[in-house]
Amino acid sequence: MEPLEVHRKDWRSMIAMGLSALGTLFFLVKAITFSALLLISNLNSQINTDENSLFGLLIWYSLLSGVLLIPVFLFSLYDYREKPIPTWMDTIRHEIKKRLLWLILLLPAIIFIGWLVAGQPTLSVFILGLNNIMVVGIPVLWLCTVAQSQLNGGSRVRKWRIFGFSLTVLPFLVIFIEILAFLILFGFGGIIIAYRMSVNPLLEHELMFFIDQISLNRGNLDKIFQLLEPYIIQPSVIFWVFAIFSGVIPLIEEFIKPIALWSLAGSDISPQEGFVGGLLCGAGFSLMENLLYFNIAVTAEEWLFMSIGRIGTTALHMLASGLIGWGLAITWREGKWLPLMVMTLGSIFLHGFWNALALLSGIFPLFIGTLEVTPIQKIIFNLPLVLLFFVSVMGIFLINHYFRKGEKSQALITHTNIEQEGVADDVS
């Protein structure tokens, strides 16, 4: 049995209970709706394979979101009613943890199966969504289990609340803010272009000619690439692309991702609890973000490289949010802002560096004059990302070791003090 976190009606449990119930119903309706659309599409004589594959993916993703919100509802319900967590829920948790560390060994086989299925449109409609969930979900579960090992991360009620919010609400909140930021940037860009065209009328003719050429060559990617290449490789364009994807996006995401932790502002949570809470924020966000990214993978080869790459982003998101959660806990407990500032800047830099390396691997083919690269070239281009992935995983391990070492030292000090008090009592 697990002791209750509070012995009063907690407004956070009330809100979590209501939102998780509504969320489960919402995702169930979505799954049924997409299933109906898939059935209608299959009955149609003109079957759109890409559309069917998308419906299949969305069905699985909706089911996953709905299922993962059920524990949020149950834990919040027991917490609100001030009842202990049932024994059967503890048993399930321990059984899963026992098998989870070994499940990671199956990941290469699951990725291989997904690569085979991604090349088969008919199979991908029904199987690929489940495969995507396993490819993305296993690393998230494994890293969460390892990172929390022997740490006091707070009650399961709190952890499930944080994870559930970060899984369902947070990705769409981030997308909305990023779209808003892009619109503002594009608005400024449009004003600059309009001003330059008013000063230089030839620029307007050049722009219209370029748009006409793009329109005439729709579907001819090689020709479009030839038209875009002179503009893309300009230093000013490259600078602004990197500024947006390695500066603006990491800044937005790292500020927004730990938003679920702010419900604990003013609470005396420990640095361990802050780190684990931030870790769960990153886990929920990366799980849904990675699944949504799979929707843009068209070929089996694209799916393969995306599945491997998104594993790396999982570790990155979890480490970055964990650091910020750690900093927030120190600030709330001790009133020190410097650790939070350092950890936030470090998280933004880590995220921005990852995005910069990903961009470099994507635009490098432009500098060798082709859009077609071999699998070996892709592997070489992505080696820095692989290295950064291992650095992120090692960072999670080292932080876990640091906290566990601190707990052992504190326990030893406490034990020594108790023994000394006992000796002093005997002497007196």
Side-chain angles (χ1 to χ4, degrees):
M1 298 289 182
E2 181 178 284
L4 292 171
E5 185 182 358
V6 293
H7 297 283
R8 54 187 170 75
K9 303 298 183 184
D10 191 341
W11 62 270
R12 289 166 293 201
S13 292
M14 293 174 61
I15 293 175
M17 189 167 55
L19 290 178
S20 58
L22 290 173
T24 302
L25 180 62
F26 170 74
F27 286 113
L28 177 62
V29 171
K30 275 187 68 176
I32 294 173
T33 302
F34 287 126
S35 299
L37 291 173
L38 178 61
L39 179 62
I40 293 170
S41 181
N42 280 325
L43 293 175
N44 194 331
S45 57
Q46 297 179 343
I47 297 177
N48 188 325
T49 305
D50 292 337
E51 190 176 82
N52 286 353
S53 298
L54 180 60
F55 287 151
L57 296 177
L58 293 174
I59 290 168
W60 281 110
Y61 300 167
S62 300
L63 289 173
L64 173 70
S65 300
V67 168
L68 288 178
L69 284 176
I70 293 175
V72 180
F73 175 79
L74 292 176
F75 281 117
S76 300
L77 176 63
Y78 283 109
D79 184 63
Y80 179 74
R81 297 176 60 191
E82 300 180 358
K83 300 291 184 181
I85 303 301
T87 306
W88 65 269
M89 294 181 81
D90 270 330
T91 304
I92 292 175
R93 182 181 62 154
H94 290 307
E95 288 298 318
I96 291 174
K97 286 179 73 172
K98 272 195 234 176
R99 293 169 172 78
L100 193 55
L101 294 177
W102 295 102
L103 192 61
I104 196 71
L105 299 177
L106 298 177
L107 189 58
I110 295 171
I111 291 175
F112 177 73
I113 293 171
W115 174 66
L116 294 177
V117 171
Q120 304 293 327
T122 304
L123 287 176
S124 66
V125 172
F126 303 101
I127 300 175
L128 192 59
L130 177 60
N131 195 277
N132 291 351
I133 289 172
M134 291 190 290
V135 168
V136 172
I138 290 174
V140 169
L141 287 171
W142 191 84
L143 283 172
C144 279
T145 302
V146 171
Q148 297 182 70
S149 177
Q150 300 181 44
L151 297 187
N152 177 21
S155 71
R156 280 179 290 156
V157 177
R158 179 201 298 171
K159 289 191 283 190
W160 271 105
R161 280 200 306 248
I162 292 171
F163 179 77
F165 180 88
S166 301
L167 173 77
T168 54
V169 178
L170 184 58
F172 300 101
L173 179 62
V174 169
I175 290 171
F176 172 76
I177 295 174
E178 287 179 347
I179 291 174
L180 187 62
F182 285 149
L183 290 175
I184 293 172
L185 290 172
F186 285 140
F188 279 116
I191 292 172
I192 293 171
I193 292 173
Y195 171 74
R196 292 185 63 183
M197 285 193 299
S198 67
V199 175
N200 182 9
L202 292 176
L203 182 61
E204 182 178 0
H205 295 293
E206 183 181 350
L207 182 62
M208 294 305 299
F209 175 77
F210 176 75
I211 294 173
D212 290 339
Q213 290 297 309
I214 293 290
S215 178
L216 290 172
N217 291 281
R218 283 183 301 177
N220 189 344
L221 295 179
D222 290 332
K223 184 63 176 178
I224 292 175
F225 168 67
Q226 291 175 6
L227 292 168
L228 289 173
E229 185 179 8
Y231 300 93
I232 294 175
I233 62 176
Q234 288 186 13
S236 59
V237 174
I238 293 175
F239 169 79
W240 283 111
V241 169
F242 273 87
I244 292 172
F245 287 94
S246 300
V248 176
I249 289 179
L251 191 68
I252 292 172
E253 292 189 358
E254 296 311 326
F255 269 106
I256 300 298
K257 274 194 301 178
I259 195 172
L261 289 179
W262 281 94
S263 64
L264 303 173
S267 302
D268 189 26
I269 63 173
S270 67
Q272 286 189 30
E273 292 174 304
F275 173 71
V276 171
L279 199 82
L280 293 171
C281 289
F285 175 78
S286 66
L287 179 62
M288 189 51 62
E289 181 193 56
N290 291 345
L291 289 174
L292 293 175
Y293 261 97
F294 273 118
N295 293 338
I296 64 176
V298 178
T299 66
E301 184 179 322
E302 288 177 355
W303 184 93
L304 178 62
F305 279 95
M306 184 170 290
S307 64
I308 297 172
R310 299 318 296 181
I311 294 173
T313 60
T314 296
L316 168 82
H317 280 306
M318 292 175 67
L319 174 60
S321 297
L323 288 172
I324 295 176
W326 184 1
L328 285 171
I330 293 174
T331 299
W332 293 334
R333 172 173 276 203
E334 303 176 17
K336 297 178 180 178
W337 287 91
L338 183 59
L340 175 60
M341 292 172 61
V342 172
M343 290 179 183
T344 301
L345 289 174
S347 299
I348 293 170
F349 174 79
L350 180 66
H351 193 162
F353 189 44
W354 176 277
N355 284 5
L357 292 175
L359 277 173
L360 284 173
S361 68
I363 68 173
F364 193 80
L366 298 176
F367 295 99
I368 61 176
T370 180
L371 286 176
E372 299 295 331
V373 294
T374 65
I376 298 298
Q377 287 176 321
K378 278 190 176 182
I379 293 173
I380 294 172
F381 297 158
N382 286 281
L383 278 179
L385 287 171
V386 174
L387 179 61
L388 188 55
F389 161 70
F390 282 110
V391 169
S392 300
V393 173
M394 185 58 63
I396 292 173
F397 272 92
L398 290 175
I399 293 172
N400 175 273
H401 176 72
Y402 169 80
F403 281 131
R404 286 192 287 112
K405 186 178 178 181
E407 273 199 346
K408 288 178 182 178
S409 299
Q410 187 61 42
L412 181 61
I413 292 171
T414 303
H415 179 71
T416 303
N417 290 338
I418 292 173
E419 286 187 342
Q420 289 176 348
E421 290 174 1
V423 171
D425 290 340
D426 291 340
V427 170
S428 61

